[in-house]
Amino acid sequence: MPVIVDIDVMLARRKMAVGELAERIGITPTNLAVLKNGRAKAVRFMTLDALCEVLECQPGDLLRWEPDGEE
């Protein structure tokens, strides 16, 4: 999939655990894992908003597009 999810990068920069992020944005750790591992088919804007608020970043810090095969 050409959309790459960089939640791990922001978690490392913020020195935050996955469980803490899931709790703070109000989703289960399992659903957050699906999103951060690039297996999600969609993301709600309210979830993206919560991620950006908690991680103090922009949507472009979490998502990027690369053509197929360049991952």
Side-chain angles (χ1 to χ4, degrees):
M1 176 186 257
V3 175
I4 310 303
V5 181
D6 287 327
I7 292 175
D8 283 339
V9 173
M10 293 308 296
L11 282 170
R13 288 182 183 166
R14 302 298 185 250
K15 297 179 174 69
M16 185 181 297
V18 173
E20 179 185 350
L21 178 60
E23 183 178 322
R24 290 181 63 185
I25 65 172
I27 66 172
T28 67
T30 302
N31 284 340
L32 181 56
V34 168
L35 179 59
K36 79 180 192 69
N37 293 324
R39 296 188 317 259
K41 299 293 182 198
V43 60
R44 292 176 184 226
F45 281 128
M46 61 189 298
T47 302
L48 185 57
D49 177 59
L51 284 165
C52 290
E53 182 176 345
V54 170
L55 294 171
E56 299 176 351
C57 65
Q58 295 293 315
D61 296 327
L62 301 174
L63 304 170
R64 62 188 161 90
W65 179 84
E66 290 186 6
D68 283 331
E70 292 186 23
E71 203 174 316

